Amino acid sequence: MKAQLPFLLVVPFDTPLLEQESCLSGNLLGNYRNGYSLQSVFITDEECISSWAAQTESLSAVFTPAVQGFRQLVWIAEEAIDDSLKVPTSEDQLDLFLERLSSPPQAQDEETFLDSNQDVFIETSKDTGFQLLYRGSSAALLSVPSRVALHLDTVLPRFWKSTPVPSFPIEFIPVPPSSIEPVKSVLSNLAYDSSVATIVDSISIPQMRNDIRFLTGEDGQSGIVSRHSFSQGSRVAAAWLKQRFEETGATCRLMSFMQGFAPNVICRYESMVNTTGTVIISGHYDSRGSFGSTRMPGGDDDGSGTTAVLSIARAIARNGVKFHQNVELVAFAGEEQGLYGSRAYANELRSLDSNVTLMIQADMLGYRKPGEPMQLGLPKSIGTPEVAQLVANISALYSPELEVGITPACCSDHQSFHEQGYASTQVFERAGPIVDPMYHNSGDLSDREGFDFDQLKAIAKVQFATVLHYAGFELHK
Ligand SMILES: *[C@@H]1O[C@H](CO)[C@@H](O)[C@H](O)[C@H]1NC(C)=O
Ligand SMILES: *[C@@H]1O[C@H](CO)[C@@H](O)[C@H](O)[C@H]1NC(C)=O
Ligand SMILES: *[C@@H]1O[C@H](CO)[C@@H](O)[C@H](O)[C@H]1NC(C)=O
Ligand SMILES: [Zn+2]
């Protein structure tokens, strides 16, 4: 392992830079968003920093103390949101947040977010001391105590998200041409298939309505108040999802990835033909609420994506679908704390050299601003453009009512797979920035103005049709 290097360099993301030989080679800590662009963070030494200073003007170098063990680097960034949601400027919000971070959390606030048997997280600490290492226009790099890093989502400004930055270099793994070729091939041979249409049309809106109401607690029966990754409700949701998926013939496991976090729910349908190829579709079932509130229904974010994936499982069973690749349906946890669940799973798959051929994350599918048409947004910055194109063309075939376009909303669990060199994309509710007024709010219910089950179904159909076309299938009824 490399010795800890003392400097961080934050420069605009540039693929050739990551691939060429330079003093930065092998020193990448990851790529992170700032506004609509991506920044690469490198850990390096003074000499390298100086050589960069001569070559680029877009340079930010900062000294970092040894970041190990009890401290964690985190990147925080503002989400891409519609102007109609904008309140104070990013700068003010960041200052407000840093102020909040300097004052120790109130014990009773913190406890309410936590599972009572996860005492490792209950201990409140006076050590909230953070260091601001880099500040961009709508992003910042901080060093914080590790425990604080896990709770940042509860104190961040509403439209900001955090993601942990490793303290040792990671490998930059581009998606290889051998993973892109089959995507292009399916795209160029794409034609409407009436049996695919029948299967995807069978997704049931009344069923989706029931499912999401269980997850949000709106049904008054599940008892779920919150699906925050550390909450009791997230455990109830995980067990329930596992059961529902198993009823459809999948084999499921709960993947615990870190103490205190609810597990990933990973469910698999084995391929009918002998192949290692695996297609993954997913959503995240953990949620976030308003600052200071314990109610976190997460109806749209991401009860909608989770419900879409579950509706696909139900349609698989209803139609007796058997695939020609392995198909996994996954509900991730830890997304709101910084993609913890999906990173753990993508890392595991990469370390096993798993043949993941396609990955499509569904995050926020249900909200449609009154007056706007139904839409499908595909990511602008993170993901494999060829996969997004395939999804777009499949949408035109099976959900022509959706207006398809690019969204700057970014960085859900597909990012974890993309970072491991797997072909991936995300489906989102809008061909533009986030406009849901209940985003990261305790009022994110499914029964409210703008929550559109027709759009939710239309996007779920596209996600499912992509799997059917890409993996291949037969019907056993
Ligand atoms: C995908 O759809 C676009 C827009 O309709 C079309 O121009 C393009 O030819 C399609 N791509 C393929 C490979 O069929
Ligand atoms: C599946 O394919 C692998 C690799 O081609 C082969 O080694 C294995 O025996 C096959 N398994 C079955 C059940 O046919
Ligand atoms: C991965 O799976 C695909 C799809 O089944 C298959 O064509 C390909 O040969 C597999 N790759 C490897 C390395 O096994
Ligand atoms: Zn989300």
Side-chain angles (χ1 to χ4, degrees), residues 82-101:
D82 194 76
D83 286 342
S84 62
L85 293 186
K86 288 213 164 113
V87 268
T89 66
S90 316
E91 296 256 324
D92 296 344
Q93 298 218 36
L94 185 55
D95 286 332
L96 191 72
F97 162 69
L98 294 176
E99 220 167 273
R100 223 181 243 171
L101 200 56

Side-chain angles (χ1 to χ4, degrees), residues 161 284 301-302 335-336 363-364 412 439-440:
K161 288 185 81 166
H284 72 88
D301 184 11
D302 184 24
E335 197 272 352
E336 299 291 359
D363 195 355
M364 298 174 68
S412 187
Y439 178 63
H440 286 170

